[in-house]
Amino acid sequence: VDTSDFIENWMSDQRLGDRKDLAGDQVDDCAASRSVVELLAEQVEAADRVVLNKIDLATEAQRTNAAEVVKGLTDGKVEVVDAEFGRIP
């Protein structure tokens, strides 16, 4: 996840149809009506490992909040790692 934007997106009431940066240009009506939060939750819940990327651009509060949301969605059962530029240690 993009650590610096994750909580802002998590708190959003936007739909995918409003977010071309997340959904692209070719979105069917069903997908367009889905909430951004629903998409984020599905992706995190399905993960075996979550990478908190762009950690260098995030504040400490953004990093902590993103990690806590991820842990809550996964019951703490996935590995959470920090990364910069997508480089996983």
Side-chain angles (χ1 to χ4, degrees), residues 14-79:
Q14 292 181 316
R15 302 282 172 200
L16 287 177
D18 300 328
R19 296 287 306 268
K20 301 294 183 195
D21 59 321
L22 297 177
D25 293 327
Q26 304 276 327
V27 181
D28 62 52
D29 291 340
C30 182
S33 68
R34 292 182 63 207
S35 70
V36 170
V37 173
E38 184 181 357
L39 174 66
L40 292 173
E42 283 181 10
Q43 290 177 339
V44 170
E45 290 170 343
D48 294 324
R49 172 192 271 185
V50 175
V51 178
L52 297 179
N53 195 29
K54 299 184 181 179
I55 203 75
D56 55 313
L57 302 178
T59 65
E60 185 61 32
Q62 289 171 322
R63 190 235 169 275
T64 300
N65 291 335
E68 289 300 318
V69 169
V70 167
K71 288 177 186 172
L73 288 171
T74 62
D75 295 325
K77 295 179 182 173
V78 301
E79 179 183 12

